[in-house]
Amino acid sequence: MLVFIPLTQAQLSSWVEGGSFAPKQAFGVTNSLRQAFGFTPADDEEAEHTAMHIAGLSGLLSSGRRLVAVAEASARAVAGSEFGEVEAGAVPWSAVNALFADDASGAATAAALDRPHASLSDAWDDPAIADLLASHELLWHGPSEWAGLVAG
């Protein structure tokens, strides 16, 4: 399964140096996410894009930054999670396909947001968050570009 893992810079660095990472939280295209957002199996690209946004938002809420790793991993859906939360075991760094992060403008906008949200659901419904997601796409980075994301 393709999993979207919100990270801090320290976690990213540790993952690369240690070779493996067991995420506390990850997201994927699950049946619950498809149902909640009205996706069909033909909409997998859009569903993956939504899962990436959700992972970025989760990272923003927990650490103040949208930094997401995308990897192929064994994972199982968390029952009833409309946001596609999954449980994944240890993920080797070699399974990472891409990294996504804000550019300077997106990071500044994200940092300026008031983040009093108690849950992902509350944040998702916030108009300021919706504006951030619509106006600041996360930028793609290859796994070999990880050092620039840790330094930035």
Side-chain angles (χ1 to χ4, degrees), residues 13 20 26 39-40 61 63 78-79 91 93 111 113 116 118 127 130 132 137 142 150:
S13 183
S20 184
F39 294 124
T40 68
L61 294 176
S63 69
V78 172
V91 180
W93 175 250
L113 287 175
L132 170 70
E137 277 294 322
V150 170

Side-chain angles (χ1 to χ4, degrees), residues 1-50:
M1 167 184 269
L2 202 59
V3 295
F4 300 83
I5 303 167
L7 296 166
T8 64
Q9 291 167 292
Q11 288 170 328
L12 176 57
S13 183
S14 177
W15 190 357
V16 173
E17 292 167 8
S20 184
F21 179 66
K24 292 183 179 170
Q25 191 171 44
F27 300 88
V29 178
T30 63
N31 288 334
S32 293
L33 181 133
R34 280 191 180 102
Q35 287 178 337
F37 289 88
F39 294 124
T40 68
D43 301 323
D44 271 357
E45 189 172 327
E46 288 177 55
E48 289 170 356
H49 191 250
T50 299

Side-chain angles (χ1 to χ4, degrees), residues 84-131:
E85 190 171 353
V86 298
E87 293 176 350
V91 180
W93 175 250
S94 61
V96 174
N97 298 326
L99 299 164
F100 287 88
D102 273 311
D103 62 7
S105 174
T109 301
L113 287 175
D114 185 25
R115 294 185 306 271
H117 306 290
S119 71
L120 206 49
S121 181
D122 289 342
W124 190 261
D125 292 334
D126 183 326
I129 297 288
D131 184 52

